[in-house]
């Protein structure tokens, strides 16, 4: 029986009644996004049976090999969200330029940005993947009949809604419309996402961190310092042992952090100096930063809050450090201390690298 549980549509309509800033057919727009996620969940769960695994044989705008499911998931978002009349345009990891709503459909005043399949390197080995989305308003000077990429370049603090779907052992939808974070589980018997995790909150403290440690030699000193202190555990200055996880699906990592705390780092590194980070600001970092912030956690580049970063291009990358508030604040402090030189052990000016006797 459906009685007793709130489905995502009822939740959205109630949220929209509470918050008049969510104008127009906002709840209908999110319902279209939810439909996209249900379609993707179906494809992901059938895997080889549906012939959807493997490479597409092309590269996306990031120069990354596209999986078949990257392309299918992108098509699912377009198919389910383009006709409803709520959007002026969409943008996605898998499309170089924005996708203005075709003229045969009515256009609305929202913009949708998404990562159709996150963690897609995991898809062929049957591990958790997800979809991430962010909703923005068309800016005041935007011409809804001719939207341009610049209309999307708003800081994450202006997002109206953000969420992700996690295609794991169960399929979950996690959503914020700016008043807390709510988790819904897909009941496949009735085809509905039902509210199962109201008011998700990230504990401020943790003993768990997530980072791709194979990049260690490329990290900046503040991140090396943080991780080495975690690894030192009880014997180091943290005085407690830490656990480490790395799924290589940001959706799965953020979900774990929402469930039991933790900190996730994909920091700036020097592996490819043309890239300030691995993750993309508009459709990975920003929506996750809104979710984490709404759940009482923090999201930072190490030097500034992610939601304050002013985007300069649709596919720009950014360092990401997010999760339990105390840890993110500590890592931000380590970045500040590095910039001022406070993290250097004290050395006598006579004998240090800055010694008076050095002549280089
Ligand atoms: P995508 O599959 O959308 O390109 O994103 C993958 C991202 C993210 O989900 C994950 O945290 C990270 O890339 C994994 O990177 P590594 O393979 O370098 O660990
Ligand atoms: Mn991704
Ligand atoms: Mn992706």
């Amino acid at each position: 029986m459906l009685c007793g549980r709130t489905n995502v549509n009822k939740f959205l309509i109630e949220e929209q009644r509470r918050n008049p800033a969510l104008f127009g057919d906002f709840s209908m727009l999110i319902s279209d996004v939810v439909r996209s996620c249900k379609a993707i969940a179906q494809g992901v769960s059938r895997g080889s049976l549906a012939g959807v695994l493997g490479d597409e044989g092309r590269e996306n705008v990031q120069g990354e090999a596209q999986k078949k499911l990257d392309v299918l998931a992108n098509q699912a978002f377009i198919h389910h969200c383009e006709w409803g009349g709520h959007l002026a345009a969409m943008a996605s990891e898998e499309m170089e330029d924005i996708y203005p709503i075709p003229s045969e459909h009515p256009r609305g005043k929202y913009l949708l940005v998404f990562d159709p399949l996150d963690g897609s390197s995991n898809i062929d080995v049957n591990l958790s993947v997800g979809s991430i989305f962010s909703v923005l308003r068309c800016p005041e000077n935007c011409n809804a009949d001719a939207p341009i990429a610049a209309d999307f370049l708003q800081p994450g603090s202006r997002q109206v809604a953000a969420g992700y779907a996690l295609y794991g052992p169960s399929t979950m939808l996690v959503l914020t419309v700016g008043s807390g974070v709510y988790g819904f589980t897909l009941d496949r018997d009735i085809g509905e996402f039902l509210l199962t995790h109201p008011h998700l909150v990230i504990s401020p403290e943790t003993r768990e961190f997530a980072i791709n440690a194979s990049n260690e030699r490329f990290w900046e000193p503040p991140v090396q310092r943080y991780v080495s202190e975690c690894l030192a555990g009880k014997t180091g200055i943290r005085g407690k042992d830490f656990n480490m996880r790395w799924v290589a699906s940001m959706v799965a990592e953020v979900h774990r952090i929402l469930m039991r705390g933790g900190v996730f780092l994909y920091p700036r590194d020097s592996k490819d100096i043309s890239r300030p980070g691995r993750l993309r600001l508009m459709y990975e970092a920003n929506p996750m930063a809104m979710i984490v912030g709404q759940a009482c956690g923090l999201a930072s580049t190490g030097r500034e809050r992610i939601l304050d970063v002013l985007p300069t291009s649709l596919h720009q990358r950014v360092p990401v450090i997010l999760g339990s508030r105390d840890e993110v604040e500590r890592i931000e402090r380590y970045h500040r201390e590095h910039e001022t030189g406070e993290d250097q052990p004290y050395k006598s000016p006579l004998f240090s690298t800055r010694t008076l006797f050095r002549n280089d």
Side-chain angles (χ1 to χ4, degrees):
M1 290 282 284
L2 188 54
C3 311
R5 288 228 191 254
T6 300
N7 68 20
V8 73
N9 283 344
K10 181 174 177 224
F11 168 82
L12 286 164
I13 289 165
E14 285 176 353
E15 277 299 308
Q16 194 165 350
R17 281 182 194 148
R18 265 196 291 273
N19 182 357
L22 303 174
F23 56 80
D25 292 333
F26 174 79
S27 57
M28 303 292 283
L29 163 60
I30 302 293
S31 298
D32 289 348
V33 172
V34 168
R35 250 186 295 281
S36 316
C37 296
K38 283 185 200 168
I40 298 165
Q42 178 66 6
V44 167
S45 69
R46 289 186 50 78
S48 288
L49 297 175
V52 294
L53 302 187
D55 288 338
E56 176 69 8
R58 278 186 285 146
E59 285 186 347
N60 66 12
V61 58
Q62 333 277 332
E64 294 163 349
Q66 276 181 320
K67 300 282 181 189
K68 281 186 198 165
L69 261 169
D70 285 321
V71 176
L72 292 169
N74 195 60
Q75 287 167 353
F77 268 92
I78 291 176
H79 174 77
H80 287 283
C81 300
E82 70 176 351
W83 61 275
H86 324 300
L87 292 173
M90 300 183 229
S92 136
E93 180 188 353
E94 305 303 334
M95 299 187 287
E96 181 159 9
D97 297 317
I98 66 164
Y99 179 88
I101 298 303
S103 53
E104 66 260 35
H105 302 300
R107 283 186 178 161
K109 297 212 160 167
Y110 288 106
L111 303 170
L112 178 67
V113 199
F114 52 93
D115 176 354
L117 199 71
D118 173 67
S120 55
S121 71
N122 279 329
I123 191 69
D124 294 339
V125 290
N126 203 13
L127 293 179
S128 293
V129 291
S131 301
I132 312 173
F133 59 90
S134 156
V135 179
L136 294 159
R137 288 192 181 92
C138 288
E140 288 202 342
N141 57 356
C142 160
N143 176 359
D145 291 329
I148 56 174
D151 297 329
F152 286 79
L153 304 182
Q154 308 177 38
S157 53
R158 298 231 195 108
Q159 291 171 109
V160 182
Y164 63 77
L166 170 63
Y167 313 115
S170 57
T171 291
M172 285 195 67
L173 178 83
V174 170
L175 182 66
T176 180
V177 296
S179 50
V181 180
Y182 296 82
F184 303 80
T185 305
L186 182 61
D187 183 337
R188 287 180 187 269
D189 291 345
I190 56 170
E192 296 262 24
F193 277 106
L194 301 179
L195 182 62
T196 47
H197 295 68
H199 301 293
L200 287 166
V201 172
I202 299 171
S203 61
E205 287 175 32
T206 183
R207 290 170 177 237
E208 195 159 73
F209 69 101
I211 192 163
N212 182 342
S214 70
N215 293 326
E216 179 177 2
R217 70 186 186 282
F218 303 110
W219 297 336
E220 295 184 304
V223 172
Q224 288 183 338
R225 173 184 174 190
Y226 176 75
V227 172
S228 69
E229 288 176 3
C230 291
L231 295 176
K234 273 190 186 137
T235 61
I237 70 146
R238 300 302 305 270
K240 60 182 184 181
D241 288 335
F242 279 76
N243 191 18
M244 199 196 85
R245 287 285 181 272
W246 188 250
V247 187
S249 279
M250 190 194 199
V251 167
E253 320 272 8
V254 170
H255 195 69
R256 186 186 61 247
I257 289 170
L258 280 167
M259 294 297 118
R260 66 180 191 206
V263 61
F264 167 91
L265 302 94
Y266 216 121
R268 179 188 290 272
D269 64 42
S270 60
K271 199 172 185 178
D272 175 350
I273 49 165
S274 67
R275 295 176 166 186
R278 163 86 169 83
L279 299 171
R280 280 59 59 108
L281 175 62
M282 300 291 298
Y283 39 83
E284 290 177 321
N286 270 344
M288 291 311 198
M290 181 177 183
I291 291 167
V292 166
Q294 285 290 321
C296 305
L298 264 188
S300 170
T301 66
R303 295 177 169 86
E304 68 180 312
R305 299 292 155 90
I306 285 178
L307 293 177
D308 294 335
V309 175
L310 197 58
T312 53
S313 68
L314 270 185
H315 299 286
Q316 101 183 54
R317 296 177 190 258
V318 69
V320 175
I321 297 160
L322 60 75
S324 292
R325 176 172 286 269
D326 290 358
E327 297 302 300
V328 178
E329 284 176 344
R330 173 183 286 269
I331 299 165
E332 286 182 324
R333 173 163 67 80
Y334 287 5
H335 280 79
R336 281 195 303 276
E337 289 179 359
H338 182 64
E339 247 120 73
T340 57
E342 285 169 76
D343 61 349
Q344 306 294 321
Y346 176 75
K347 288 180 188 150
S348 157
L350 291 179
F351 301 107
S352 75
T353 51
R354 294 185 204 136
T355 171
L356 299 172
F357 302 123
R358 282 176 67 102
N359 57 6
D360 53 345

